[in-house]
Amino acid sequence: MHTRVVKNLNSWIEVSPKHPFPVYNLPYGIGLFEDGTHSAITRIGDFIVNLSLLFQSGLLRADGLTLKHLAAEYLNAYIALPKATHLAVRERLIELLTEKNAGLYKLDKDLKDSILVPHGKVRLLLPVKPGDYTDFYSSKEHATNVGIMFRGPENALMPNWLHMPIAYHGRSSSIVVSGTNLHRPWGQIVPPNAENPIFSPSKQVDFELEVAFVTRSGKPLGQPIKVNEAEDYIFGLVLFNDWSARDIQKWEYQPLGPFLGKNFGSTISPWIVTLEALELFRCEGPAPEKELLPYLQISGKKTFDIHLEVDITPNNGRPTTVCRSNFKYLYWNISQQLAHHTVNGCNIQAGDMMASGTISGPSPDSFGSMLELAWKGTKPVKLDDGSERTFLLDGDTVTLRGYCENDGLYIGFGEATTTILPAIDYYNSIY
């Protein structure tokens, strides 16, 4: 079953030009409504669509779809449904929102007003409860920049990097939705010119501009997902900020990699943009620089042209855009990432999250972290208010945005926004 990819869809709901949520987008999220109920939702223009009430009205039907899949605190059960069900739901939503004779337009006003709710009246929640979270390291520019800083240009890329997508397993319980603020973390850091660590709040809190994909239900344990079928097991994409405490990470990461420098929090956008909505923005990624093993070889357009931006807003200040990058810069695409993740038989579940790793581009203004933008603290980034940053200060708000634009069609991912709060008073908090 295929979904329509016609871009000239017009809704009877007014949507302004370049609005991130036209009828072609129809992302998924979870909303908390004023009456205290949770529901799976989508968005068109400035309205949230309550999918539970739409189902109860009798207008939304698809094979296998029940109210319990929609009236839920997370989308996991819905994502676990067959892909054919999701495609049927998308087709029906497009029909309901573009054709006045399809039923929704003609509903009783009170019922229609309960289904179509102004977006400001709905609280957006974490869309999935990720059982597992993996963070890849798939941007060649980012990996090269970090390698140059810490190992020199002659050893910038590790020998394995061009042969397989590198990744580590992160902490799923500390993934939070946009709008959730995080405290500056404590940990062991080694001051300059010191030999031994001290216990201190991090002085080098950093953002990482990433995009994550959310998985469908996978194959049984022991059965790999092949690269040419990987997209059948990917539900959609979210913006992802993989917060990092660089000074904690620097001391702890050898020999087993990131730990406390990463797991204090990761921020995602509340909307999952489906692969179907991204179909018209397909493009080719970088060509492999070494011959790949057969299980990683691809053909055709396997990535997407997604423009990405990062703003830093000081406390009581105005935002400065410090980074403009693009998802298409990733050396390893999502199909290769999932194929490698499962090649040993590792299983995946509906709602698992796979982050891309920092997405840096070829120019300094496209570097996806403060570590790179300020080049390890040696080139401070100037904000519009005249202040400078090498890393983030308490009260700084970081906002990630993403959008696609192609020949008059525009869709967006919304935002992933978090403010860094001061470190807690560690000693008084436990004694």
Side-chain angles (χ1 to χ4, degrees), residues 323-386:
C323 169
R324 290 182 172 89
S325 190
N326 197 297
F327 187 69
K328 68 182 180 182
Y329 294 149
L330 287 175
Y331 186 89
W332 298 104
N333 61 54
I334 57 177
S335 293
Q336 292 168 319
Q337 290 169 358
L338 188 56
H340 184 67
H341 197 300
T342 63
V343 72
N344 66 344
C346 175
N347 58 333
I348 61 169
Q349 302 177 48
D352 285 354
M353 198 162 287
M354 314 285 182
S356 61
T358 304
I359 305 173
S360 294
S363 59
D365 63 345
S366 65
F367 293 168
S369 66
M370 290 301 294
L371 178 67
E372 297 165 89
L373 289 167
W375 204 258
K376 205 180 176 184
T378 63
K379 300 177 181 180
V381 175
K382 180 169 285 191
L383 304 186
D384 289 346
D385 65 358

Side-chain angles (χ1 to χ4, degrees), residues 140-194:
K140 182 173 181 284
E141 289 82 1
H142 174 67
T144 300
N145 289 338
V146 174
I148 290 172
M149 286 183 219
F150 292 99
R151 293 185 299 274
E154 65 282 354
N155 296 308
L157 285 181
M158 300 298 283
N160 59 358
W161 199 93
L162 292 171
H163 292 276
M164 64 180 179
I166 304 299
Y168 78 96
H169 289 283
R171 184 71 181 174
S172 60
S173 64
S174 56
I175 295 175
V176 298
V177 72
S178 176
T180 306
N181 298 328
L182 296 171
H183 287 276
R184 181 176 298 271
W186 286 77
Q188 290 192 22
I189 63 175
V190 179
N193 303 316

Side-chain angles (χ1 to χ4, degrees), residues 14 39 45 59 144 159 161-162 168 188-189 205 223 240 246 266 274 288 365 388 401 421 429:
E14 184 177 353
S39 177
L59 292 176
T144 300
W161 199 93
L162 292 171
Y168 78 96
Q188 290 192 22
I189 63 175
V205 173
Q223 297 187 22
F240 193 97
R246 299 297 185 186
S266 301
T274 64
D365 63 345
E388 294 183 336
R401 290 187 301 274
L421 303 176
S429 71

Side-chain angles (χ1 to χ4, degrees), residues 89-267:
V89 170
R90 177 175 170 84
E91 285 295 298
R92 180 56 174 160
L93 288 173
I94 290 174
E95 182 181 27
L96 290 169
L97 293 167
T98 58
E99 300 178 15
K100 291 184 177 180
N101 63 356
L104 180 58
Y105 179 80
K106 298 179 178 180
L107 276 183
D108 171 84
K109 182 179 184 303
D110 288 342
L111 179 55
K112 184 160 66 172
D113 287 348
S114 67
I115 293 173
L116 293 172
V117 182
H119 73 95
K121 293 186 175 182
V122 182
R123 181 183 173 189
L124 302 181
L125 304 178
L126 193 68
V128 295
K129 187 174 179 62
D132 277 301
Y133 151 52
T134 298
D135 189 29
F136 284 90
Y137 192 50
S138 292
S139 163
K140 182 173 181 284
E141 289 82 1
H142 174 67
T144 300
N145 289 338
V146 174
I148 290 172
M149 286 183 219
F150 292 99
R151 293 185 299 274
E154 65 282 354
N155 296 308
L157 285 181
M158 300 298 283
N160 59 358
W161 199 93
L162 292 171
H163 292 276
M164 64 180 179
I166 304 299
Y168 78 96
H169 289 283
R171 184 71 181 174
S172 60
S173 64
S174 56
I175 295 175
V176 298
V177 72
S178 176
T180 306
N181 298 328
L182 296 171
H183 287 276
R184 181 176 298 271
W186 286 77
Q188 290 192 22
I189 63 175
V190 179
N193 303 316
E195 293 184 5
N196 296 314
I198 61 172
F199 181 58
S200 168
S202 170
K203 295 176 175 57
Q204 297 181 355
V205 173
D206 197 359
F207 68 83
E208 289 192 347
L209 170 61
E210 305 192 19
V211 171
F213 65 86
V214 178
T215 63
R216 302 178 185 275
S217 296
K219 295 182 179 181
L221 183 67
Q223 297 187 22
I225 294 171
K226 296 180 180 180
V227 70
N228 61 356
E229 62 182 358
E231 288 188 5
D232 290 336
Y233 295 90
I234 297 173
F235 181 72
L237 276 61
V238 297
L239 303 174
F240 193 97
N241 186 345
D242 181 28
W243 295 98
S244 299
R246 299 297 185 186
D247 42 6
I248 296 174
Q249 182 182 359
K250 180 181 178 181
W251 173 240
E252 72 179 2
Y253 84 100
Q254 297 187 53
L256 294 181
F259 185 33
L260 302 184
K262 293 279 193 178
N263 68 8
F264 63 96
S266 301
T267 303

